[in-house]
């Protein structure tokens, strides 16, 4: 299997799905890059280079650059999806949902229900997420909890190139609006990724590491932070089971509950801020459905209740890291009831 | 205009009028859930525009949408059932008055923030353009909603993407209880078209013929050239913003004036008779048929079954969750 | 003490705070009603009549009607707050944050932090919330969890006229952006409310009913639902302690933990949808900080993961009611570990 | 224009130029965190506009804001410290390049969605109007950002509320890697002013005198009449959208042309010398002072203290939480 970066895996998937289904179109700012300019009309592939080459292959009727008008083009995607296309929208930073929130969380999410099932809204919204490259308070948020809040949306947070390809394939073929969140710090991660296309189903968690002492549910890049912590913990004789839910909505509650039934202990690692987030969501689910299994408090490792600072040293402090995860795991393992 | 088209237009305007006048009475006596925004007085707007649409064109309505839906050919009975939250309603009772939607006749219901149909229309038109199916998309937008950013963005986008969209602004004098001229800098919406590089036209909305002629030209151009345009229709509503509105913000005698001088049904009738296009008898037949229809469906709706409880959980997702 | 409705209590508070501080201005659609019309220029007071009379008393320089441009006028409120005014913005339905999300959750919430504390953003956003009057999927949401997610915002959910007045007074005098959520179904609720002004501090929960068997944390109108349930439960010999947090951000975790320490059992009642919401937030906090106190699973009574249906019979089913609360309480009380 | 004003203008443009040229080098060698958008080539825009502002007027900048900030009088050293995320930075390291802000000189930093300053400016102006302090608010807005709904809404709102706001669109040819003329229907922003009932003017942005004259008139009118206006400034940036941009979307030789024919510093210098307004020597003194300043602060910043860890938790709220 060829090695591919996260970025390449996404690019590959878009190519394959566009070849497979003419209804798939791409919409976003600078997803070609060069539109209306004198030079190269395939200059950028988005600010992060993910869609490079696609306009050359599929042309401007299927790769649509846009004015900086998220509300209009996201709304247009909803309309196109209701009228037979399958748009994949590049929102760039997930934070920019703030200028098209109505289109995403009210229209895309609720149309199918509100109209009594008459129309489906098969669209995928790709957006980068997370901190770590000094993009400050308004371009570094992890908004999967906000998306997961809204019924009607599906929310995908891949943790590796392999997952990215399989989950994006599923997303594009899915008949519902899917939010596909690409963690900034993962774009250059490399992994073996099959050339042929494959789907990874939504709502099925991946157990990355088995272990009997504690269950760690981690989302996005936090899976790697947890994995790093677990290696150190293993040397101390603590065996972690690491669960990557892959999709936060739908959520594979079963796999989490089964693991907690074995381990009796749960730590949740989530890069987002602490209030009403995905960590609280998983914790509350277990405190309701798996209470009897619990031998210790459920601990959450998240960012603090602060906006994201620009200064790199503060940003590092802001994000959960292996040390914080280790500390939490040791607390629950060492807990005396 | 062909006679059959005139008859259809009259039937639609009359149906809307009677549907809404009866709704006004029903609301006052209770039993209509939620907010209801009546279209009385504006019938010629939607009906005039729809007289120029083909079967695969899409109309996008607003919260004041009963008339929009009926003009596009939505079944009055299932519309009424929806407004009453009944199982047989167009959307199974999930939408209600403000969001009624009927994909079978290509009518898209109002969606959330006012004005959002302008952007959705761009996507509908984009899909039509992609498939080269020659269809246009027509979003109706209240003049108040015209000040939503998404509407202005959509106008620019439609121009940049060269989409067959005709933005129809229904300037009915008020946005809730705020005067249009005050809230729209300069007071005119058709004039904004130039800012986004498209033609803009304003006509009196109580005149079916003025509306349909202006619509014909702009829709035709949109269809042939795949370019957007703006049509502003000026005609005040006869009732309040929603039912229950005391309307003290109106000038004295305004509604009386509207009813006597700017009633699109009277104006239409006078014209078609004077021009010998239709006869009084032809119109009377329609009046009677509509009267019967409205009476029947309003009677039926009150006994109609409510949605099954399990419907609460249906249609959240279209594919497995 | 005079009887006042929730609506009147808010109107009173606005009058008093505008009289007290000339920097307080009101901004919103139709908050006067009649602007630019031939008839009465004080016609509406907002669609729900809350601000009636204010334009007559304070004039159009302090009561600003607006075009339907939430992003612009919310952004203007942020700018005005940064430049010495104290705007109170009427957003009408809390759902409309979807068209000014950037202004509320990025700008108002983050300016103070991002600019290193140079400017505060003293503004209050009033908005109605909740289901129950057939306003369907896009005008009936309970969005306090989404607001609470964002650091920088304070989120207030009054449950009665008395609370509304005291909390709104605090909100307007507070130097941070405050989201003040008015439950639609409470506008006509009547209660004794003092004429003189008073503040109710943020982050201090109110214990409405003491009881040793189970703690119920309920927010907004759900406090009344819980109270109704508790009366029936008392007849069955189950004594509930009912906690109204009043503000979901900041949250009075201490009062909740102290109560759970006594009762060992927790039920949370929240009208919002179930994922990443305020119920999960409280549950997770207790599962982390108060695990040792717990004798039973923490149960959450919320709406289902569906948009809000229009049809009144379905909407009734959608909302938590006393029967659902009773069932949850009985489950935790009857729990055999 | 008074001589002292010309000297100030030159010093600002020169400072911006040197600050940014050095930033370009530093970025390439690493050590500058985050995204950096340089203002080289556009100096005359912000400096020309600011030459017409009074002390209590507010300027609102964009992500391409180093030049905006310096033009409004922000201290170069503390600006640089902020960009490097140091404790002494203007915002204590919380803002960085894109959001630098300095309330002491009434400079408001870029905020989140591009274009959002247009609405914030309305509020700043509203407060000024309420207090009758005679101040205006000037949001700088990239031509790409001009297609954000909030900008268009703000233009209407400023007109309706009669606010002293001058919307300055910096049309620098590109929004990221997309051409301006393509993304703006009709290609011109000043022309949108009419749609919102205000005057609009376009001038060449590389000509300090053209900018300051146009700004003078519009700002003056805004101040006296409390009415908004639009000023479009046309001048392409010399560097990429952000540092690291390979700029293959540009036409051949474009940057060379810009540097040789449309450099605002050369044009300014030629003019003031030709007109005998300033001497070469006077300019040379400034050049030297600026060179020293830039060298000093760039040396200092690399050793400067980082923000204390406790700062992570400061300033989330202004009052107790
Ligand atoms: C974004 C948004 N803001 C406010 C509202 C509340 N609202 C519903 S209808 C309406 C007035 C709309 O006026 P107009 O567009 O002129 O349509 P009309 O009611 O006159 O048909 C308002 C403000 C809304 N639905 N969406
Ligand atoms: C709402 C929003 N969409 C997209 C972006 C990403 N973005 C940052 S700068 C930029 C281009 C802005 O172009 P323009 O307004 O012309 O300013 P310039 O960079 O040319 O100075 C974009 C798209 C953003 N910050 N906010
Ligand atoms: Mg109107
Ligand atoms: Mg630009």
């Amino acid at each position: 299997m060829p090695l591919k970066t996260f970025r390449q895996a996404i690019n590959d998937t878009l190519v394959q799905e566009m070849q497979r289904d003419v209804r798939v179109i791409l919409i976003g700012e600078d997803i070609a890059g060069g539109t209306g300019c004198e030079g190269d009309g395939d200059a950028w592939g988005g600010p992060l280079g993910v869609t490079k080459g696609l306009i050359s292959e599929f042309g401007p009727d299927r790769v649509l650059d846009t004015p900086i008008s998220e509300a209009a083009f996201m709304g247009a995607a909803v309309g196109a999806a209701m009228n037979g296309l399958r748009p994949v929208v590049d929102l760039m930073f997930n934070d920019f949902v703030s200028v098209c929130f109505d289109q995403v969380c009210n229209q895309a999410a609720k149309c199918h229900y509100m109209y009594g099932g008459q129309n489906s809204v098969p669209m995928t919204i790709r957006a980068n997420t997370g901190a770590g490259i000094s993009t400050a308070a308004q371009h570094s948020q992890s908004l999967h909890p906000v998306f997961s809040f809204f019924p009607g949306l599906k929310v995908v947070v891949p943790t590796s190139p392999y997952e990215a390809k399989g989950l994006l394939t599923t997303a594009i073929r899915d008949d519902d609006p899917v939010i596909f969140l690409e963690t900034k710090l993962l774009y250059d991660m490399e992994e073996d990724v099959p050339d042929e296309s494959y789907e990874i189903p939504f709502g099925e968690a991946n157990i990355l590491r088995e272990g009997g002492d504690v269950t760690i549910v981690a989302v996005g890049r936090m899976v790697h932070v947890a994995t790093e912590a677990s290696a150190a913990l293993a040397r101390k004789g603590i065996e972690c089971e690491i669960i990557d839910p892959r999709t936060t909505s739908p959520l594979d509650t079963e796999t989490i509950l089964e693991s907690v039934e074995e381990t009796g202990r749960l730590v949740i690692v989530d890069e987002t801020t602490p209030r009403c987030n995905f960590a609280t969501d998983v914790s509350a689910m277990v405190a309701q459905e798996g209470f009897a299994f619990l031998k210790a408090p459920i601990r959450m490792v998240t960012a603090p209740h602060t906006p994201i600072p620009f200064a790199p040293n503060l940003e590092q402090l802001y994000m959960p890291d292996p040390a914080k995860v280790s500390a939490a795991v040791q607390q629950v393992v060492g807990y005396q009831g | 205009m062909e006679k059959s088209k005139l008859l259809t237009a009259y039937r639609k305007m009359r149906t809307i009028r009677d549907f809404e006048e009866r709704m006004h009475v029903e609301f006052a006596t209770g039993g209509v859930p939620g907010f209801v925004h009546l279209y009385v007085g504006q019938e010629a707007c939607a009906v005039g525009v729809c007289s120029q649409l083909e079967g695969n064109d899409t109309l996008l309505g607003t919260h004041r949408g009963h008339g929009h839906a009926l003009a596009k050919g939505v079944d009055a009975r299932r519309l009424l059932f929806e407004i009453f939250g009944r199982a047989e309603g167009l959307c199974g009772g999930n939408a209600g008055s403000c969001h009624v939607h009927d994909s079978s006749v290509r009518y898209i219901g109002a969606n959330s923030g006012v004005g959002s149909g302008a952007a959705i229309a761009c996507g509908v038109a984009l899909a039509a353009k992609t498939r080269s199916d020659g269809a246009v998309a027509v979003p109706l937008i209240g003049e108040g909603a015209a000040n939503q950013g998404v509407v202005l963005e959509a106008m620019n986008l439609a121009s940049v993407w060269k989409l067959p969209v005709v933005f129809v602004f229904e300037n009915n004098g008020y946005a809730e209880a705020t005067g249009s001229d005050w809230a729209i800098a300069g007071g005119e919406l058709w004039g904004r078209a130039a800012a986004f590089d498209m033609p803009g036209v304003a006509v009196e909305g109580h005149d079916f013929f003025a509306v349909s002629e202006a619509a014909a030209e702009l829709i035709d151009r949109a269809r042939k050239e795949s370019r957007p345009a703006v049509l502003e229709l000026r005609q005040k509503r006869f009732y309040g913003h929603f039912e229950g509105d005391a309307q003290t913000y109106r000038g004295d005698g305004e509604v009386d004036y509207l009813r006597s001088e700017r009633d699109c049904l009277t104006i239409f009738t006078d014209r078609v008779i004077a021009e010998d296009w239709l006869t009084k008898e032809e119109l009377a037949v329609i009046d009677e048929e509509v009267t019967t229809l409205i009476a029947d469906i309003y009677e039926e709706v009150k006994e109609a079954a409510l949605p099954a409880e399990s419907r609460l959980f249906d249609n959240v997702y279209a594919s497995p969750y």
Side-chain angles (χ1 to χ4, degrees), chain B residues 33-35 82-86 92-97 99 110-114 144-145 147-149 173-184 236 241-242 245-252 254 306-313 315-317 321:
Chain B
F35 288 111
E82 184 60 38
I83 296 167
F84 274 77
R86 306 296 161 137
N94 277 8
S97 166
H99 307 290
N111 208 315
S112 177
V114 292
N147 291 321
Q148 275 287 303
Y174 304 99
E176 298 196 337
T178 298
S180 319
D181 289 348
W182 177 81
I184 298 164
K236 288 192 174 158
H241 171 65
F242 41 40
D245 177 2
Q247 303 181 69
T248 55
Y249 50 82
R250 293 228 197 215
D252 275 350
E254 183 179 300
L306 299 177
E309 298 204 342
S310 65
R311 288 283 300 186
L312 174 59
F313 305 99
N315 295 317
V316 182
Y317 295 93
Y321 181 73

Side-chain angles (χ1 to χ4, degrees), chain A residues 154-158 167 171 178-181 202 246-249:
Chain A
K154 294 174 176 172
V155 185
V156 184
V157 193
L167 290 167
V178 179
I179 314 288
F180 187 85
L181 296 169
F202 291 171
R246 285 175 165 160
T247 56
T248 59
S249 178

Side-chain angles (χ1 to χ4, degrees), chain A residues 30 34-35 37 39-40 43-44 65 68-70 138 305 310-311 313:
Chain A
D30 306 283
T35 302
C37 300
D40 183 2
W44 262 36
D65 264 343
I68 311 180
S69 305
E70 286 83 357
Q138 297 170 337
H305 187 65
F310 167 77
N313 70 321

Side-chain angles (χ1 to χ4, degrees), chain B residues 2-67:
Chain B
E2 292 162 40
K3 186 166 175 170
S4 69
K5 280 205 165 183
L6 289 178
L7 287 168
T8 302
Y10 182 75
R11 182 184 297 275
K12 283 181 176 174
M13 292 198 287
R14 169 61 64 202
T15 306
I16 297 170
R17 176 66 56 92
D18 288 10
F19 188 95
E20 297 287 70
E21 291 286 7
R22 176 69 180 267
M23 185 66 73
H24 177 72
V25 173
E26 293 294 338
F27 191 93
T29 55
V32 186
F35 288 111
V36 170
H37 310 78
L38 300 184
Y39 197 61
V40 180
Q42 300 181 241
E43 295 87 346
C45 299
V47 175
V49 168
C50 288
S51 73
Q52 303 305 320
L53 296 180
E54 311 281 341
N56 64 352
D57 294 336
T58 299
L59 186 77
L60 297 98
T62 76
H63 57 284
R64 196 173 301 288
H66 307 166

